[in-house]
Amino acid sequence: MNPIQLFVDQLNQNHEMLMGTLGDFSDADVLVRPCPGANNVAWQLGHLIKSEAGALAGFAPGAAPTLPAGFADKITKETAGKDDPNFFPKKAELLDLFGKVRSATIAWAKGLKEADLAQSAPERMRGWAPTAGHWLGAVTGHVAMHVGQFQVIRRKLGKPVLF
């Protein structure tokens, strides 16, 4: 196995973990906050979508799917406190869009050669992911961190403990 295959496997497994964690959530469940001031799942999913698509576009312009009009404006620090069920896209829409972005990331990764892992990241990312390889490792960690937050919401909702 080479590093590209390992990254692709991790990206796929990471996506499956997210989908399994949120599979039994309703549209109402994705708006639940584990405590005051914490972000709900809808906003966090939007954040994951926006950040992964933006980073992928920085490495490979045109590789990331175009986000729906106005989507990026709904996922900002200023909107994180919104609880209006009509503000964020519905759960199915968010998961579908995350799947499209993740599929694009996987397709891009599959096209890399090992030497491409040393490609410099866009300037805005270099402080935490200086290269393509660093970003491929970090993107799964980012999703896993949010999945951990979703697990707390699962417990609050009385859903079965996973992982």
Side-chain angles (χ1 to χ4, degrees):
M1 171 179 293
N2 68 42
I4 304 295
Q5 292 166 324
L6 179 60
F7 283 130
V8 167
D9 286 350
Q10 289 174 331
L11 288 162
N12 278 312
Q13 290 169 353
N14 188 244
H15 185 202
E16 289 172 17
M17 182 172 50
L18 180 134
M19 296 299 286
T21 297
L22 298 176
D24 59 352
F25 272 50
S26 67
D27 286 329
D29 292 342
V30 299
L31 295 174
V32 170
R33 296 175 188 280
C35 64
N39 296 326
N40 63 40
V41 171
W43 187 91
Q44 290 184 71
L45 274 174
H47 163 72
L48 289 169
I49 291 162
K50 182 179 169 181
S51 63
E52 187 165 332
L56 178 58
F59 282 107
T66 302
L67 300 180
F71 184 88
D73 296 331
K74 288 185 177 260
I75 311 300
T76 66
K77 289 181 182 180
E78 295 74 31
T79 63
K82 294 233 181 236
D83 290 317
D84 178 354
N86 297 313
F87 184 77
F88 296 109
K90 301 297 182 209
K91 173 196 145 185
E93 216 176 315
L94 288 164
L95 291 178
D96 180 63
L97 189 53
F98 181 86
K100 288 176 180 172
V101 171
R102 180 50 59 95
S103 291
T105 299
I106 290 169
W108 172 73
K110 283 181 175 179
L112 296 175
K113 296 176 179 65
E114 281 191 53
D116 295 332
L117 295 174
Q119 172 190 347
S120 291
E123 183 65 39
R124 63 185 163 73
M125 295 170 48
R126 289 185 192 153
W128 58 272
T131 67
H134 286 96
W135 179 67
L136 283 170
V139 72
T140 55
H142 184 212
V143 170
M145 184 272 298
H146 284 283
V147 167
Q149 294 179 33
F150 302 162
Q151 294 295 336
V152 173
I153 296 170
R154 288 188 66 77
R155 288 173 189 234
K156 180 176 182 173
L157 293 170
K159 295 185 180 294
V161 175
L162 303 174
F163 313 114

